[in-house]
Amino acid sequence: MTLLVNIFFPFGLATDASAASLAMALIWFIGKLLLLSGAVVLVETVNAKLRLFRVPDLLSAAFVLATLALLSTFLFQ
């Protein structure tokens, strides 16, 4: 996450080694990390809910395929 934050959002970096500049850079860095973490959480939550809503479709497809496999076992013996 540090690489992503510093490469794609390069604002708020310290330009000198003073205490005030380093403190502001740390505050910007933590803020950017929190925003990126929030985005990752949002994407993961949406994907999990989408997968949860697809479970009935996957179960019905699995049932149909299992029925066809059972039927073909009896027909082709």
Side-chain angles (χ1 to χ4, degrees):
M1 281 189 148
T2 299
L3 285 174
L4 288 175
V5 164
N6 287 330
I7 289 174
F8 293 111
F9 306 110
F11 56 88
L13 299 175
T15 56
D16 57 352
S18 68
S21 179
L22 291 175
M24 280 304 293
L26 181 64
I27 290 170
W28 275 106
F29 178 69
I30 291 172
K32 291 186 290 187
L33 277 180
L34 287 174
L35 284 174
L36 184 61
S37 299
V40 168
V41 166
L42 182 68
V43 167
E44 289 291 327
T45 303
V46 169
N47 280 340
K49 286 184 180 183
L50 288 177
R51 284 190 297 245
L52 186 63
F53 290 134
R54 290 189 59 199
V55 167
D57 297 334
L58 295 173
L59 284 176
S60 62
F63 178 74
V64 167
L65 289 174
T67 305
L68 288 174
L70 186 64
L71 186 63
S72 68
T73 301
F74 288 123
L75 288 178
F76 296 122
Q77 277 188 0

